[in-house]
Amino acid sequence: MFLNDNFYKVISVVREEEMKGNVCLELLPECSVYDGHFPGKPVCPGVCNMETIKECACMVLQKDDLRYESIKLCRLTAVATPAVCPRIVVEVSAEAKGSGYMIQGAIRDEQQTYMELKGILV
Amino acid sequence: MPYSIEELIPQRAPIQMVDVLVRASEDEAVCQYTVKDGNFFIESDGRLSEVALIEHIAQSASAHAGWKARETGATEAPIGYIGEVKNFHLYQRPKVGDVLETVVSMGPEVQGVTLMRGETRVGGEIVADTQMKIYVPE
Amino acid sequence: MTREDIIAKVQSTLAEEFEVEESVITDDAVIYDTLQLDSLSLVDLVAVIQYTFKVKIPVEDLPKVKTFKDLYDYIESHQ
């Protein structure tokens, strides 16, 4: 959970069901990742948003060390930045699969969807 | 290779994840990166998060795009964004000191979106592979 | 490849790649709408045609390939 309080701050976690919920986050503009992505032009790295979905899945599933074994498909549909979308909602739903979980995640705000992802966490 | 990596990719520390463009051709590139302690993606167990490998492969494609741009006279490294990741697989998470060697194979490009495949190894052993689309605004 | 072979191969390949029923791939159907393409997935169409038929559709030719019948004609004339 190395992005928590580093790349984002959790505002609220709502567990609708055992394996479904959404997490409201605030992006932290002072995060060091923006020093290099990109110098003078802070843009959320897509991979940080993928990691954010995983960490939110851990919160919803109440497990703290899950990993992506595979990502079937992740579409980055809009460029996210702390200025464009200071607050985001991460939606997560999961179902048990083998020793892990098949998850679907999305990152949205009121204006648009930034990412949709399907993957396996173990 | 006549170019330093800083001339080929726009990313910088703590998220710069390519040290060297080893070689490049019209539709393929080989890149190298030694995992460093200050890397943004190092977790508490001293290993890279798996998403860091996606970033490393994307930056390897970015280095190829930067090389092609420089070869045709560009004076700046183009900024590219990951548009899609497909069929990513993690096999093992590298640790500080490991040398990542990645081959990226570039496919067709349509309206700024390039399809590519990347595979990363450490000491010859597969670490991760994926397909990806990189979007470079025209 | 005969035209009939091209049609059959296009239908089976695109149905699988874009997860649609073969039955929706009809001569006059618009490719972009039928396969629900967008700026990210258009390159998949070009790639799968290039890989399957060894026919490369340059960007400037894309406007000529609106319907599936256009695609069959294009492949047939560029084999």
Side-chain angles (χ1 to χ4, degrees):
Chain A
M1 302 279 266
F2 71 100
L3 292 186
N4 198 347
D5 289 330
N6 172 17
F7 179 72
Y8 64 77
K9 182 175 77 175
V10 175
I11 306 296
S12 65
V13 181
V14 174
R15 293 182 77 226
E16 295 154 27
E17 294 161 23
E18 199 193 335
M19 294 213 237
K20 187 173 193 288
N22 56 62
V23 182
C24 181
L25 304 176
E26 202 169 287
L27 292 175
L28 300 173
E30 67 277 12
C31 177
S32 67
V33 79
Y34 299 117
D35 299 343
H37 194 283
F38 297 94
K41 183 182 177 183
V43 171
C44 298
V47 296
C48 285
N49 291 349
M50 293 175 209
E51 178 72 19
T52 297
I53 286 179
K54 176 181 89 173
E55 295 185 2
C56 291
C58 288
M59 296 175 212
V60 170
L61 297 169
Q62 298 181 325
K63 290 189 174 284
D64 59 16
D65 59 358
L66 295 173
R67 297 219 159 275
Y68 284 120
E69 176 186 74
S70 60
I71 295 174
K72 181 172 193 283
L73 185 64
C74 175
R75 302 191 97 222
L76 294 87
T77 44
V79 176
T81 81
V84 164
C85 50
R87 270 200 183 199
I88 54 175
V89 174
V90 181
E91 299 164 7
V92 175
S93 63
E95 59 188 72
K97 180 162 170 102
S99 59
Y101 301 88
M102 178 148 57
I103 66 154
Q104 297 204 40
I107 296 181
R108 308 189 211 279
D109 67 3
E110 291 82 20
Q111 278 72 43
Q112 55 189 333
T113 296
Y114 297 89
M115 174 175 285
E116 289 175 319
L117 179 147
K118 282 185 223 163
I120 303 280
L121 293 179
V122 293
Chain B
M1 185 50 63
Y3 307 108
S4 73
I5 198 61
E6 282 72 22
E7 291 175 287
L8 300 178
I9 62 173
Q11 294 87 352
R12 295 292 182 268
I15 189 172
Q16 182 179 328
M17 297 209 55
V18 175
D19 292 325
V20 179
L21 174 61
V22 176
R23 63 177 181 276
S25 61
E26 175 56 26
D27 48 24
E28 189 176 86
V30 176
C31 288
Q32 237 178 41
Y33 174 69
T34 301
V35 181
K36 300 170 185 57
D37 216 1
N39 183 296
F40 182 76
F41 296 103
I42 295 289
E43 298 204 49
S44 49
D45 62 357
R47 290 180 177 275
L48 278 179
S49 156
E50 61 275 21
V51 301
L53 296 164
I54 298 171
E55 181 66 18
H56 165 68
I57 292 172
Q59 287 186 24
S60 300
S62 184
H64 180 264
W67 171 75
K68 278 179 87 169
R70 290 278 177 184
E71 290 285 287
T72 52
T75 55
E76 255 185 30
I79 285 190
Y81 302 97
I82 297 174
E84 183 177 282
V85 171
K86 195 173 184 179
N87 298 330
F88 163 77
H89 292 97
L90 172 73
Y91 302 99
Q92 53 177 305
R93 289 169 51 229
K95 61 185 181 310
V96 172
D98 281 351
V99 178
L100 309 184
E101 181 150 301
T102 289
V103 178
V104 288
S105 313
M106 312 308 288
E109 181 262 330
V110 174
Q111 295 165 1
V113 177
T114 302
L115 201 56
M116 53 88 55
R117 242 192 69 74
E119 189 175 285
T120 298
R121 292 173 182 275
V122 169
E125 274 196 48
I126 187 95
V127 165
D129 57 25
T130 190
Q131 295 160 41
M132 223 185 279
K133 286 173 192 164
I134 304 290
Y135 171 58
V136 179
E138 290 175 332
Chain C
M1 244 180 171
T2 68
R3 188 178 176 83
E4 284 61 39
D5 294 338
I6 290 171
I7 293 172
K9 190 67 174 168
V10 164
Q11 288 177 337
S12 61
T13 305
L14 297 187
E16 184 190 335
E17 174 74 21
F18 295 95
E19 295 175 357
V20 298
E21 292 300 323
E22 285 197 25
S23 56
V24 303
I25 299 177
T26 57
D27 276 10
D28 298 324
V30 175
I31 296 173
Y32 216 85
D33 305 336
T34 307
L35 304 183
Q36 297 176 343
L37 298 180
D38 59 21
S39 60
L40 267 180
S41 53
L42 183 54
V43 69
D44 291 315
L45 176 69
V46 170
V48 81
I49 296 300
Q50 184 172 328
Y51 178 77
T52 309
F53 299 98
K54 307 297 178 263
V55 169
K56 184 163 185 170
I57 307 176
V59 177
E60 56 274 16
D61 281 359
L62 283 172
K64 302 179 205 164
V65 185
K66 282 210 172 4
T67 67
F68 289 99
K69 180 183 177 305
D70 297 335
L71 181 56
Y72 306 146
D73 296 343
Y74 193 92
I75 294 171
E76 197 173 18
S77 60
H78 288 79
Q79 276 189 98

